[in-house]
Protein backbone atom coordinates (compact mmCIF):
# COMPACT_ATOMS: atom_id res chain seq x y z
CA UNK A 1 0.00 0.00 0.00
CA UNK A 2 1.43 3.40 -1.02
CA UNK A 3 1.50 6.01 1.71
CA UNK A 4 -0.63 9.11 1.23
CA UNK A 5 1.74 11.98 0.27
CA UNK A 6 0.32 14.27 2.97
CA UNK A 7 0.73 11.57 5.62
CA UNK A 8 4.26 10.87 4.41
CA UNK A 9 5.09 14.56 4.71
CA UNK A 10 3.62 14.76 8.21
CA UNK A 11 5.46 11.64 9.40
CA UNK A 12 8.68 12.93 7.88
CA UNK A 13 8.54 15.95 10.18
CA UNK A 14 6.60 14.54 13.16
CA UNK A 15 7.57 10.85 13.12
CA UNK A 16 10.22 9.44 15.45
CA UNK A 17 13.59 8.07 14.34
CA UNK A 18 15.52 5.14 15.81
CA UNK A 19 19.18 4.94 14.83
CA UNK A 20 21.18 1.80 15.61
CA UNK A 21 24.85 2.14 14.75
CA UNK A 22 27.17 -0.67 13.58
CA UNK A 23 24.39 -3.18 12.85
CA UNK A 24 26.01 -6.30 11.28
CA UNK A 25 25.34 -6.82 7.59
CA UNK A 26 22.71 -9.52 6.97
CA UNK A 27 21.20 -9.36 10.47
CA UNK A 28 17.43 -9.84 10.79
CA UNK A 29 15.89 -6.60 12.04
CA UNK A 30 12.23 -5.81 12.62
CA UNK A 31 9.84 -3.25 14.00
CA UNK A 32 6.26 -4.21 14.91
CA UNK A 33 4.81 -6.25 12.07
CA UNK A 34 7.70 -6.12 9.57
CA UNK A 35 11.24 -7.48 9.52
CA UNK A 36 14.06 -7.48 6.99
CA UNK A 37 17.58 -8.76 6.44
CA UNK A 38 19.54 -5.54 6.58
CA UNK A 39 22.28 -4.43 4.19
CA UNK A 40 25.63 -2.76 4.94
CA UNK A 41 24.17 0.77 4.69
CA UNK A 42 21.35 0.26 7.23
CA UNK A 43 21.42 2.58 10.25
CA UNK A 44 17.81 2.53 11.50
CA UNK A 45 14.17 3.45 10.87
CA UNK A 46 12.57 6.86 10.24
CA UNK A 47 9.01 8.23 10.12
CA UNK A 48 7.86 6.05 13.02
CA UNK A 49 4.34 7.02 14.20
CA UNK A 50 4.31 8.08 17.88
CA UNK A 51 3.25 5.36 20.34
CA UNK A 52 4.22 1.89 21.56
CA UNK A 53 6.52 -0.12 19.27
CA UNK A 54 8.45 -3.39 19.44
CA UNK A 55 11.91 -3.53 17.87
CA UNK A 56 13.57 -6.93 17.47
CA UNK A 57 16.54 -8.61 15.84
CA UNK A 58 18.36 -11.89 15.38
CA UNK A 59 22.12 -11.98 14.94
CA UNK A 60 23.45 -14.06 12.05
CA UNK A 61 26.44 -16.40 11.88
CA UNK A 62 29.47 -14.77 10.17
CA UNK A 63 30.03 -18.10 8.37
CA UNK A 64 26.42 -18.79 7.30
CA UNK A 65 23.93 -15.94 6.83
CA UNK A 66 21.04 -18.42 6.98
CA UNK A 67 21.89 -19.36 10.57
CA UNK A 68 20.29 -16.88 12.96
CA UNK A 69 20.36 -16.60 16.72
CA UNK A 70 17.26 -16.42 18.94
CA UNK A 71 15.05 -13.39 18.42
CA UNK A 72 15.56 -10.59 20.94
CA UNK A 73 13.49 -7.43 21.21
CA UNK A 74 12.45 -4.47 23.30
CA UNK A 75 9.41 -2.22 23.62
CA UNK A 76 9.61 1.56 23.18
CA UNK A 77 7.15 4.38 23.67
CA UNK A 78 8.12 7.00 21.10
CA UNK A 79 6.99 10.64 21.14
CA UNK A 80 6.64 12.94 18.08
CA UNK A 81 10.05 13.83 16.60
CA UNK A 82 11.88 11.56 19.08
CA UNK A 83 15.41 10.60 18.11
CA UNK A 84 16.77 7.48 19.80
CA UNK A 85 20.43 6.61 19.13
CA UNK A 86 21.58 3.09 20.10
CA UNK A 87 24.45 0.90 18.95
CA UNK A 88 25.23 -2.76 18.32
CA UNK A 89 27.44 -4.45 20.94
CA UNK A 90 29.49 -7.09 19.04
CA UNK A 91 30.76 -8.69 22.25
CA UNK A 92 27.28 -9.32 23.70
CA UNK A 93 25.76 -9.74 20.21
CA UNK A 94 22.84 -7.50 21.06
CA UNK A 95 21.66 -3.91 20.80
CA UNK A 96 23.01 -1.83 23.69
CA UNK A 97 19.99 -0.02 25.14
CA UNK A 98 22.10 2.59 26.92
CA UNK A 99 20.95 5.96 25.49
CA UNK A 100 23.62 7.91 23.63
CA UNK A 101 25.00 11.08 25.28
CA UNK A 102 23.02 14.26 24.59
CA UNK A 103 25.80 15.76 22.49
CA UNK A 104 25.76 12.69 20.18
CA UNK A 105 21.96 12.96 19.81
CA UNK A 106 22.23 16.69 19.02
CA UNK A 107 24.89 16.01 16.40
CA UNK A 108 22.80 13.24 14.84
CA UNK A 109 19.70 15.44 14.78
CA UNK A 110 21.63 18.17 12.98
CA UNK A 111 22.86 15.58 10.47
CA UNK A 112 19.53 13.80 9.87
CA UNK A 113 19.29 15.04 6.31
CA UNK A 114 22.55 13.29 5.40
CA UNK A 115 21.59 10.18 7.40
CA UNK A 116 18.21 9.94 5.65
CA UNK A 117 19.44 7.64 2.87
CA UNK A 118 20.59 5.09 5.47
CA UNK A 119 17.21 4.96 7.24
CA UNK A 120 14.32 2.74 6.21
CA UNK A 121 10.79 4.26 6.32
CA UNK A 122 8.37 2.77 8.84
CA UNK A 123 6.09 0.20 7.10
CA UNK A 124 2.89 2.21 7.43
CA UNK A 125 0.74 -0.41 5.62
CA UNK A 126 0.75 -2.63 8.73
CA UNK A 127 0.31 0.15 11.31
CA UNK A 128 -3.45 -0.41 11.69
CA UNK A 129 -2.88 -4.10 12.39
CA UNK A 130 -0.15 -3.28 14.93
CA UNK A 131 -2.35 -0.77 16.76
CA UNK A 132 -5.17 -3.32 16.98
CA UNK A 133 -2.81 -5.67 18.87
CA UNK A 134 -1.39 -3.04 21.24
CA UNK A 135 -4.28 -0.58 21.65
CA UNK A 136 -4.38 -0.86 25.47
CA UNK A 137 -0.64 -1.01 26.22
CA UNK A 138 0.46 2.21 27.91
CA UNK A 139 3.97 3.31 28.89
CA UNK A 140 3.39 2.47 32.61
CA UNK A 141 2.20 -1.05 31.71
CA UNK A 142 5.14 -1.48 29.30
CA UNK A 143 7.66 -0.44 31.98
CA UNK A 144 5.96 -2.61 34.60
CA UNK A 145 6.15 -5.78 32.48
CA UNK A 146 9.37 -5.38 30.49
CA UNK A 147 12.43 -7.14 32.03
CA UNK A 148 14.80 -5.00 34.08
CA UNK A 149 17.41 -5.57 31.36
CA UNK A 150 14.97 -4.17 28.78
CA UNK A 151 15.70 -7.13 26.47
CA UNK A 152 13.04 -9.77 25.74
CA UNK A 153 14.70 -12.93 24.43
CA UNK A 154 12.94 -15.87 22.77
CA UNK A 155 15.05 -18.26 24.86
CA UNK A 156 15.42 -17.49 28.54
CA UNK A 157 18.95 -17.06 29.83
CA UNK A 158 19.25 -19.58 32.66
CA UNK A 159 21.84 -20.39 35.31
CA UNK A 160 22.16 -23.41 37.63
CA UNK A 161 20.78 -22.78 41.12
CA UNK A 162 23.99 -24.30 42.55
CA UNK A 163 27.47 -23.91 41.04
CA UNK A 164 27.89 -27.70 40.42
CA UNK A 165 31.64 -27.42 40.02
CA UNK A 166 32.41 -30.70 41.79
CA UNK A 167 30.94 -34.20 42.02
CA UNK A 168 30.06 -33.59 45.69
CA UNK A 169 27.79 -30.69 44.58
CA UNK A 170 25.78 -33.15 42.48
CA UNK A 171 25.65 -35.67 45.33
CA UNK A 172 24.24 -32.98 47.64
CA UNK A 173 21.36 -32.47 45.15
CA UNK A 174 20.86 -36.26 44.76
CA UNK A 175 22.11 -36.09 41.16
CA UNK A 176 24.23 -38.96 39.76
CA UNK A 177 27.80 -38.47 38.53
CA UNK A 178 28.20 -37.08 34.98
CA UNK A 179 30.05 -40.23 33.91
CA UNK A 180 27.43 -42.65 35.32
CA UNK A 181 25.62 -44.76 32.73
CA UNK A 182 22.37 -43.21 31.50
CA UNK A 183 19.64 -45.79 30.80
CA UNK A 184 16.77 -43.62 29.55
CA UNK A 185 15.81 -40.18 28.27
CA UNK A 186 13.88 -39.51 31.50
CA UNK A 187 16.93 -40.39 33.54
CA UNK A 188 18.99 -38.02 31.42
CA UNK A 189 16.54 -35.20 32.13
CA UNK A 190 16.62 -36.03 35.84
CA UNK A 191 20.40 -35.54 35.82
CA UNK A 192 20.13 -31.93 34.75
CA UNK A 193 20.73 -29.51 37.63
CA UNK A 194 17.94 -27.20 38.80
CA UNK A 195 18.02 -24.01 36.74
CA UNK A 196 16.77 -20.47 37.29
CA UNK A 197 16.41 -17.52 34.91
CA UNK A 198 19.18 -14.94 35.12
CA UNK A 199 18.01 -12.11 37.37
CA UNK A 200 16.76 -9.10 35.45
CA UNK A 201 16.04 -10.98 32.21
CA UNK A 202 12.57 -12.34 33.05
CA UNK A 203 9.39 -10.64 31.80
CA UNK A 204 7.67 -9.35 34.94
CA UNK A 205 4.24 -10.85 34.33
CA UNK A 206 1.65 -10.68 37.10
CA UNK A 207 1.77 -13.85 39.16
CA UNK A 208 -1.47 -15.80 38.72
CA UNK A 209 -2.44 -17.32 42.09
CA UNK A 210 -2.27 -21.09 42.39
CA UNK A 211 -4.84 -21.05 45.22
CA UNK A 212 -8.14 -19.90 43.76
CA UNK A 213 -10.00 -19.61 47.08
CA UNK A 214 -9.53 -17.68 50.36
CA UNK A 215 -7.72 -19.19 53.35
CA UNK A 216 -10.04 -21.09 55.64
CA UNK A 217 -12.56 -21.79 52.88
CA UNK A 218 -15.00 -24.67 53.43
CA UNK A 219 -15.01 -27.61 50.99
CA UNK A 220 -18.15 -26.17 49.36
CA UNK A 221 -16.45 -22.76 48.94
CA UNK A 222 -13.32 -24.39 47.51
CA UNK A 223 -15.48 -26.16 44.92
CA UNK A 224 -17.33 -22.95 44.04
CA UNK A 225 -14.16 -20.86 43.67
CA UNK A 226 -12.51 -23.61 41.62
CA UNK A 227 -15.37 -23.50 39.13
CA UNK A 228 -15.93 -19.73 39.14
CA UNK A 229 -12.49 -18.06 39.21
CA UNK A 230 -13.85 -14.57 40.01
CA UNK A 231 -12.20 -14.54 43.45
CA UNK A 232 -8.73 -15.09 41.95
CA UNK A 233 -9.38 -12.54 39.19
CA UNK A 234 -10.49 -9.91 41.71
CA UNK A 235 -7.35 -10.61 43.75
CA UNK A 236 -5.15 -9.78 40.73
CA UNK A 237 -7.18 -6.69 39.78
CA UNK A 238 -7.22 -5.33 43.35
CA UNK A 239 -3.52 -6.00 43.93
CA UNK A 240 -2.09 -4.93 40.56
CA UNK A 241 -4.72 -3.04 38.55
CA UNK A 242 -7.06 -1.42 41.09
CA UNK A 243 -6.85 2.05 39.50
CA UNK A 244 -7.32 0.73 35.95
CA UNK A 245 -8.82 -2.81 35.71
CA UNK A 246 -8.53 -2.74 31.89
CA UNK A 247 -4.75 -2.86 32.26
CA UNK A 248 -5.07 -6.61 32.79
CA UNK A 249 -6.09 -6.70 29.11
CA UNK A 250 -3.00 -4.62 28.28
CA UNK A 251 -0.97 -7.39 29.93
CA UNK A 252 -2.88 -9.92 27.80
CA UNK A 253 -1.86 -7.91 24.70
CA UNK A 254 1.75 -7.58 25.90
CA UNK A 255 2.00 -11.36 26.41
CA UNK A 256 0.47 -12.03 23.00
CA UNK A 257 2.92 -9.73 21.17
CA UNK A 258 5.88 -11.26 23.04
CA UNK A 259 4.69 -14.66 21.84
CA UNK A 260 3.52 -13.87 18.30
CA UNK A 261 6.37 -11.55 17.30
CA UNK A 262 9.00 -12.12 20.00
CA UNK A 263 8.70 -15.96 19.81
CA UNK A 264 8.60 -16.22 23.63
CA UNK A 265 6.76 -19.45 24.46
CA UNK A 266 6.49 -18.57 28.18
CA UNK A 267 4.48 -15.52 27.10
CA UNK A 268 2.00 -17.82 25.35
CA UNK A 269 1.61 -19.82 28.56
CA UNK A 270 0.92 -16.62 30.49
CA UNK A 271 -1.59 -15.51 27.85
CA UNK A 272 -3.40 -18.82 28.35
CA UNK A 273 -3.40 -18.37 32.14
CA UNK A 274 -4.85 -14.86 31.97
CA UNK A 275 -7.42 -15.88 29.38
CA UNK A 276 -8.52 -18.84 31.51
CA UNK A 277 -8.91 -16.55 34.51
CA UNK A 278 -10.94 -13.99 32.57
CA UNK A 279 -13.18 -16.46 30.75
CA UNK A 280 -13.96 -18.72 33.71
CA UNK A 281 -15.04 -15.95 36.12
CA UNK A 282 -18.84 -16.00 36.02
CA UNK A 283 -19.48 -13.43 38.74
CA UNK A 284 -16.92 -11.02 37.25
CA UNK A 285 -18.60 -11.16 33.81
CA UNK A 286 -21.72 -9.58 35.30
CA UNK A 287 -19.73 -7.10 37.40
CA UNK A 288 -17.11 -5.81 34.91
CA UNK A 289 -19.14 -5.16 31.74
CA UNK A 290 -16.68 -2.63 30.26
CA UNK A 291 -13.72 -4.95 30.87
CA UNK A 292 -15.37 -7.86 29.07
CA UNK A 293 -16.57 -5.65 26.25
CA UNK A 294 -12.93 -4.75 25.62
CA UNK A 295 -11.86 -8.39 26.01
CA UNK A 296 -14.02 -9.36 23.01
CA UNK A 297 -12.30 -6.69 20.87
CA UNK A 298 -8.85 -7.78 22.05
CA UNK A 299 -9.55 -11.45 21.28
CA UNK A 300 -11.10 -10.63 17.91
CA UNK A 301 -7.86 -9.02 16.73
CA UNK A 302 -5.56 -11.56 18.38
CA UNK A 303 -7.28 -14.64 16.99
CA UNK A 304 -7.36 -12.98 13.58
CA UNK A 305 -3.55 -12.84 13.55
CA UNK A 306 -2.71 -16.41 14.52
CA UNK A 307 -2.12 -18.58 11.42
CA UNK A 308 -4.98 -21.06 11.01
CA UNK A 309 -2.67 -24.11 11.06
CA UNK A 310 -1.20 -22.92 14.35
CA UNK A 311 -4.41 -23.86 16.15
CA UNK A 312 -3.87 -27.46 15.15
CA UNK A 313 -0.35 -27.51 16.59
CA UNK A 314 -0.52 -25.51 19.83
CA UNK A 315 -3.59 -23.44 20.61
CA UNK A 316 -6.03 -26.30 20.22
CA UNK A 317 -4.07 -28.71 22.42
CA UNK A 318 -6.65 -30.27 24.75
CA UNK A 319 -9.20 -27.99 23.08
CA UNK A 320 -7.97 -25.21 25.38
CA UNK A 321 -9.35 -22.30 23.40
CA UNK A 322 -12.69 -23.77 22.38
CA UNK A 323 -13.48 -25.16 25.84
CA UNK A 324 -12.41 -21.94 27.59
CA UNK A 325 -14.47 -19.74 25.26
CA UNK A 326 -17.38 -22.14 25.49
CA UNK A 327 -17.52 -21.66 29.26
CA UNK A 328 -17.28 -17.89 28.77
CA UNK A 329 -20.11 -17.88 26.23
CA UNK A 330 -22.32 -19.86 28.62
CA UNK A 331 -21.71 -17.24 31.36
CA UNK A 332 -22.65 -14.34 29.08
CA UNK A 333 -26.09 -15.84 28.39
CA UNK A 334 -27.20 -14.83 31.88
CA UNK A 335 -29.81 -12.03 32.22
CA UNK A 336 -27.45 -10.49 34.79
CA UNK A 337 -25.04 -9.65 31.95
CA UNK A 338 -25.44 -6.33 30.14
CA UNK A 339 -27.54 -6.70 26.96
CA UNK A 340 -24.95 -4.87 24.80
CA UNK A 341 -22.25 -7.28 25.94
CA UNK A 342 -24.51 -10.29 25.28
CA UNK A 343 -25.09 -9.12 21.70
CA UNK A 344 -21.38 -8.49 21.13
CA UNK A 345 -20.49 -11.94 22.48
CA UNK A 346 -23.06 -13.59 20.20
CA UNK A 347 -21.59 -11.85 17.13
CA UNK A 348 -18.07 -12.88 18.20
CA UNK A 349 -19.20 -16.48 18.69
CA UNK A 350 -20.76 -16.56 15.21
CA UNK A 351 -17.56 -15.07 13.73
CA UNK A 352 -15.38 -17.79 15.31
CA UNK A 353 -17.77 -20.56 14.28
CA UNK A 354 -17.68 -19.36 10.69
CA UNK A 355 -13.93 -18.67 10.49
CA UNK A 356 -12.49 -21.66 12.39
CA UNK A 357 -15.42 -24.11 12.19
CA UNK A 358 -15.38 -24.42 15.98
CA UNK A 359 -18.42 -26.05 17.60
CA UNK A 360 -19.49 -24.19 20.73
CA UNK A 361 -22.77 -26.09 21.11
CA UNK A 362 -21.30 -29.45 22.15
CA UNK A 363 -20.89 -30.02 25.87
CA UNK A 364 -17.33 -29.27 27.06
CA UNK A 365 -15.38 -32.33 28.25
CA UNK A 366 -14.82 -30.83 31.69
CA UNK A 367 -18.59 -30.49 32.16
CA UNK A 368 -19.24 -34.18 31.57
CA UNK A 369 -20.35 -36.22 34.61
CA UNK A 370 -17.57 -38.13 36.36
CA UNK A 371 -17.97 -41.91 36.15
CA UNK A 372 -16.88 -43.58 39.40
CA UNK A 373 -15.74 -47.18 39.15
CA UNK A 374 -17.30 -49.39 41.88
CA UNK A 375 -14.99 -52.23 42.99
CA UNK A 376 -16.40 -55.75 42.70
CA UNK A 377 -18.09 -57.02 45.85
CA UNK A 378 -19.11 -53.55 47.04
CA UNK A 379 -22.90 -53.21 47.45
CA UNK A 380 -24.52 -49.90 46.56
CA UNK A 381 -28.02 -49.24 47.95
Amino acid sequence: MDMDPELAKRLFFEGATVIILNVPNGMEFGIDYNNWQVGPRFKGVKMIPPGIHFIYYSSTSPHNSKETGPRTGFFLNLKPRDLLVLHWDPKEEQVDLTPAPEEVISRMRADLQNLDKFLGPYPYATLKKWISLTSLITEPVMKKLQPESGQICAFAEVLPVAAMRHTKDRVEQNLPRYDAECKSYQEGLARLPEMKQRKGTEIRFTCVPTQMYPDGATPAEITRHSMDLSYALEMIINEHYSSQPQDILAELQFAFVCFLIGNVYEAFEHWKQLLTLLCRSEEAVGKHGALYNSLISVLYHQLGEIPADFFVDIVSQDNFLTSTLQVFFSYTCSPAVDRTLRKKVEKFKMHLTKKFKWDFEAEPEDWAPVVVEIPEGVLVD
Side-chain angles (χ1 to χ4, degrees):
M1 183 177 88
D2 293 329
M3 192 184 300
D4 175 71
E6 281 301 312
L7 176 63
K9 187 177 179 182
R10 192 163 76 247
L11 283 177
F12 182 79
F13 290 105
E14 297 300 321
T17 302
V18 174
I19 292 174
I20 304 178
L21 303 173
N22 306 319
V23 173
N25 182 32
M27 184 181 83
E28 181 201 51
F29 176 88
I31 179 168
D32 303 343
Y33 240 91
N34 293 77
N35 63 82
W36 314 267
Q37 194 170 35
V38 301
R41 290 158 54 88
F42 176 80
K43 293 189 186 300
V45 182
K46 62 183 177 179
M47 301 166 67
I48 306 172
I52 299 288
H53 296 281
F54 185 62
I55 289 177
Y56 50 98
Y57 54 90
S58 298
S59 58
T60 52
S61 166
H63 309 293
N64 186 348
S65 61
K66 292 183 179 179
E67 288 183 9
T68 59
R71 184 170 285 185
T72 303
F74 50 93
F75 282 88
L76 293 172
N77 184 31
L78 297 170
K79 307 290 190 298
R81 303 193 75 242
D82 259 358
L83 175 60
L84 183 64
V85 181
L86 305 171
H87 71 272
W88 177 258
D89 184 336
K91 184 180 178 184
E92 298 293 332
E93 291 195 322
Q94 65 181 25
V95 174
D96 188 339
L97 299 182
T98 308
E102 195 56 48
E103 60 268 22
V104 172
I105 295 174
S106 297
R107 190 173 70 246
M108 290 278 189
R109 191 178 291 280
D111 197 40
L112 268 181
Q113 195 169 353
N114 292 324
L115 283 169
D116 188 72
K117 57 182 175 289
F118 303 109
L119 304 173
Y122 180 87
Y124 181 77
T126 55
L127 177 62
K128 188 176 178 182
K129 190 184 288 188
W130 171 250
I131 290 175
S132 74
L133 291 181
T134 57
S135 57
L136 300 175
I137 302 176
T138 60
E139 185 170 21
V141 170
M142 178 192 81
K143 288 182 174 178
K144 176 179 181 289
L145 298 174
Q146 189 144 273
E148 290 176 12
S149 67
Q151 305 272 8
I152 295 172
C153 190
F155 294 107
E157 190 177 351
V158 294
L159 299 168
V161 171
M164 294 291 178
R165 292 191 182 91
H166 308 286
T167 300
K168 66 179 180 65
D169 297 326
R170 295 182 61 79
V171 172
E172 286 171 6
Q173 284 204 21
N174 294 318
L175 294 170
R177 292 165 53 98
Y178 284 113
D179 56 357
E181 185 182 353
C182 185
K183 297 177 181 177
S184 68
Y185 176 72
Q186 286 73 20
E187 187 182 326
L189 287 178
R191 290 188 186 190
L192 296 175
E194 185 184 351
M195 307 295 281
K196 63 180 179 181
Q197 198 162 342
R198 183 188 286 275
K199 186 173 174 55
T201 64
E202 62 272 27
I203 302 174
R204 293 174 288 179
F205 287 132
T206 301
C207 185
V208 175
T210 52
Q211 180 177 305
M212 300 297 182
Y213 49 86
D215 292 334
T218 64
E221 288 170 337
I222 291 173
T223 300
R224 179 164 62 85
H225 289 307
S226 298
M227 293 178 68
D228 177 359
L229 307 183
S230 297
Y231 173 79
L233 177 61
E234 293 289 355
M235 274 179 61
I236 286 183
I237 290 175
N238 292 336
E239 189 173 341
H240 300 280
Y241 296 119
S242 57
S243 60
Q244 184 58 269
Q246 293 228 359
D247 279 352
I248 194 170
L249 301 183
E251 183 166 340
L252 193 73
Q253 288 187 328
F254 189 97
F256 189 80
V257 169
C258 287
F259 164 62
L260 184 71
I261 298 178
N263 298 340
V264 182
Y265 185 75
E266 290 78 10
F268 172 64
E269 289 299 317
H270 186 69
W271 178 79
K272 282 172 59 176
Q273 282 187 309
L274 283 185
L275 193 58
T276 299
L277 206 57
L278 286 159
C279 290
R280 293 180 179 263
S281 296
E282 184 174 10
E283 189 179 318
V285 172
K287 180 181 175 183
H288 297 287
L291 177 73
Y292 282 93
N293 222 302
S294 296
L295 174 62
I296 299 299
S297 300
V298 168
L299 284 177
Y300 174 83
H301 292 296
Q302 289 183 343
L303 300 187
E305 293 311 314
I306 298 181
D309 58 352
F310 182 80
F311 287 110
V312 178
D313 298 330
I314 297 180
V315 178
S316 63
Q317 281 181 9
D318 305 320
N319 287 327
F320 157 74
L321 207 48
T322 49
S323 61
T324 302
L325 289 174
Q326 194 167 23
V327 172
F328 174 57
F329 293 154
S330 73
Y331 290 163
T332 54
C333 291
S334 167
V337 175
D338 176 71
R339 185 169 175 271
T340 306
L341 176 58
R342 290 207 310 267
K343 288 179 68 175
K344 189 170 184 177
V345 167
E346 193 57 38
K347 284 180 69 176
F348 180 53
K349 181 177 166 184
M350 288 171 62
H351 164 74
L352 294 179
T353 302
K354 184 178 179 181
K355 181 169 183 176
F356 299 113
K357 306 295 187 289
W358 291 341
D359 181 10
F360 294 109
E361 303 308 320
E363 186 180 75
E365 289 180 16
D366 53 358
W367 284 6
V370 177
V371 178
V372 180
E373 294 289 336
I374 308 296
E376 286 186 28
V378 176
L379 295 177
V380 180
D381 291 333

